[in-house]
Amino acid sequence: MKFIVSSSQLLKQLQQISGVINANTVLPILEDFLFEVEGGKLTVVATDLETVMRIQLDIEARESGKVCIPAKILMDSLKNIPDQPLTFSIDKNFGIEITSDNGKYKVMGENPDNFPKEPAADDTTSFTMPSSALVTAINKTLFAVSNDDLRPAMTGVFFELNKDAIQFVATDAHRLVRYKRTDVACPRQDSFIVPRKPLNLLKSALPDNEDEIIINYNSNHLFVKHGTTQMSCRLIDARFPDYKVVIPADNPYKLIVNKSQFQSALRRVSVFSNKSTNQVALNISGSELGLAAQDVDFSFEGNERMKCQYDGEDLTIAFNARFLIEMLSASVGDEVRIELSTPTKAGILRPIEAEENEDLLMLVMPLMLNQ
């Protein structure tokens, strides 16, 4: 089998899917890309058994065939080859010879019959959404996903489908993000949990534009298609916690602050906080917000004051500064509103200026105040 492909095009496409491959896999064949040539098109597949990604590009080829090529050496070589046509020649023992304008490189491939089969898209339900809507949803929720493997339901993003909207929810029990889109219609009420890794891969592979993506799902798998890129992943088989019960119905105190000023102040003050808790106390009275952090073990202390708009009783409440900084990054606009009630109840962050068709709510649990 022989085919000719542009080196830069091949590298660009492989970079989209190479993140699927784990560094230390149980099966050596999982360190390979599966190359399939048919009808002048090259399809490349990468998998870690849980997630599968495939891309397709046009090539020059007279015959069809398959081969598995070790991913790392192929990627490393393509990164150093300037843009030019490459000729791949594969013999019957899966030996691969790559010929460029001024070089020849040999790699030993593997039998494609040993490459794992992809999950079948049987009994799927389908809907479409703009690519940018999914990319935004991932960016606004993924940071709040838990790393605790003992609670698998929280290690992914909860997709909640309705006929007139779709919601994305992520929580690690210390904070929660709920992002809603009203410009996506789903065929029926449904829900599933998508793991962190495939969402990270989608975030990189999908364009942040209005291209339509097709999403299919069944009881075990999610399938996403955009142009010549496809991804399928196994869903998390667990029950997502009832997140609605933790969202306070009424937080009467309203604090409005400039987002970037507040974020900068948190970054500066949190340098002096205890490294295990990142605790920063907020002292709010009138139109002034005080930020205070200390690490008693090292006698570190940081304090700042900034202007705010506040409607409520004087309040001192402490939060993990890292959580607040990440939440502020997910918020759009110049100002955010923080809704509070008592020092032991969750605070709610919302952007003041909401984008059209979007609703973002972020919740963060307070920390016990250092007395």
Side-chain angles (χ1 to χ4, degrees), residues 193-338:
I193 307 170
V194 184
R196 171 202 298 267
K197 181 178 173 179
L199 291 175
N200 255 323
L201 293 164
L202 279 175
K203 186 173 76 168
S204 311
L206 293 175
D208 194 0
N209 62 19
E210 294 309 299
D211 285 4
E212 192 172 80
I213 55 172
I214 301 164
I215 297 176
N216 289 286
Y217 66 93
N218 57 25
S219 55
N220 297 315
H221 291 91
L222 176 76
F223 305 87
V224 180
K225 187 174 191 299
H226 168 263
T228 55
T229 305
Q230 293 179 43
M231 189 206 78
S232 64
C233 71
R234 193 188 298 277
L235 298 170
I236 294 174
D237 183 15
R239 193 179 161 154
F240 199 74
D242 184 1
Y243 69 91
K244 295 182 178 78
V245 297
V246 299
I247 300 173
D250 179 37
N251 273 7
Y253 306 157
K254 309 284 188 275
L255 168 70
I256 295 173
V257 285
N258 178 289
K259 185 184 91 170
S260 56
Q261 287 177 9
F262 186 39
Q263 202 173 25
S264 300
L266 282 166
R267 283 202 173 103
R268 289 190 294 268
V269 171
S270 65
V271 170
F272 303 92
S273 67
N274 180 296
K275 289 298 159 274
S276 61
T277 62
N278 295 303
Q279 177 170 310
V280 171
L282 307 182
N283 305 302
I284 319 159
S285 61
S287 60
E288 191 171 87
L289 167 63
L291 295 87
Q294 58 175 333
D295 190 336
V296 182
D297 299 341
F298 296 97
S299 301
F300 294 165
E301 201 173 317
N303 290 280
E304 278 202 26
R305 290 196 305 276
M306 62 179 286
K307 289 268 177 283
C308 68
Q309 289 169 256
Y310 182 58
D311 178 16
E313 293 178 16
D314 290 1
L315 181 67
T316 301
I317 187 167
F319 292 109
N320 180 319
R322 184 172 63 83
F323 290 173
L324 287 180
I325 290 165
E326 287 178 341
M327 287 178 157
L328 292 165
S329 296
S331 177
V332 292
D334 295 333
E335 292 184 317
V336 290
R337 182 170 77 236
I338 304 173

Side-chain angles (χ1 to χ4, degrees), residues 15 24 86 98 120 128 147 154 177 261 287 291-292 349 359 370:
Q15 281 172 330
N24 41 2
L86 295 178
I98 305 168
T128 61
N147 294 316
M154 292 188 189
V177 180
Q261 287 177 9
S287 60
L291 295 87
L349 272 81
D359 178 40
N370 295 334

Side-chain angles (χ1 to χ4, degrees), residues 15-239:
Q15 281 172 330
Q16 289 194 1
I17 65 171
S18 61
V20 175
I21 297 170
N22 287 334
N24 41 2
T25 60
V26 192
L27 301 170
I29 197 129
L30 296 178
E31 295 173 6
D32 294 0
F33 290 123
L34 172 64
F35 275 53
E36 291 181 66
V37 175
E38 199 174 319
K41 295 214 179 283
L42 167 66
T43 303
V44 188
V45 185
T47 182
D48 65 357
L49 296 180
E50 297 288 317
T51 304
V52 183
M53 277 190 91
R54 56 164 50 219
I55 50 94
Q56 195 175 62
L57 67 164
D58 294 325
I59 55 164
E60 285 179 49
R62 292 212 178 103
E63 52 201 322
S64 301
K66 293 181 185 182
V67 67
C68 287
I69 305 180
K72 188 176 186 315
I73 192 160
L74 180 60
M75 294 289 290
D76 288 348
S77 61
L78 287 172
K79 282 173 190 165
N80 294 299
I81 294 175
D83 183 18
Q84 59 188 283
L86 295 178
T87 304
F88 282 70
S89 305
I90 294 102
D91 64 30
K92 60 181 185 300
N93 298 317
F94 310 113
I96 301 147
E97 190 173 273
I98 305 168
T99 313
S100 70
D101 288 348
N102 46 8
K104 206 173 253 193
Y105 317 98
K106 289 186 177 177
V107 180
M108 197 58 217
E110 289 189 66
N111 189 334
D113 296 341
N114 299 330
F115 198 79
K117 299 283 176 279
E118 290 182 50
D122 298 334
D123 296 333
T124 58
T125 306
S126 175
F127 64 95
T128 61
M129 68 190 293
S131 181
S132 59
L134 184 57
V135 171
T136 306
I138 295 169
N139 283 328
K140 289 191 187 303
T141 53
L142 206 58
F143 69 89
V145 167
S146 172
N147 294 316
D148 183 1
D149 292 331
L150 295 175
R151 291 195 273 192
M154 292 188 189
T155 60
V157 174
F158 183 56
F159 282 49
E160 205 171 20
L161 318 184
N162 279 299
K163 291 200 170 177
D164 54 0
I166 181 167
Q167 286 197 142
F168 305 85
V169 185
T171 182
D172 61 4
H174 304 289
R175 55 190 165 164
L176 180 145
V177 180
R178 187 192 72 196
Y179 177 69
K180 184 176 183 180
R181 297 285 305 206
T182 52
D183 56 351
V184 180
C186 306
R188 60 168 191 247
Q189 234 179 334
D190 226 329
S191 63
F192 48 82
I193 307 170
V194 184
R196 171 202 298 267
K197 181 178 173 179
L199 291 175
N200 255 323
L201 293 164
L202 279 175
K203 186 173 76 168
S204 311
L206 293 175
D208 194 0
N209 62 19
E210 294 309 299
D211 285 4
E212 192 172 80
I213 55 172
I214 301 164
I215 297 176
N216 289 286
Y217 66 93
N218 57 25
S219 55
N220 297 315
H221 291 91
L222 176 76
F223 305 87
V224 180
K225 187 174 191 299
H226 168 263
T228 55
T229 305
Q230 293 179 43
M231 189 206 78
S232 64
C233 71
R234 193 188 298 277
L235 298 170
I236 294 174
D237 183 15
R239 193 179 161 154

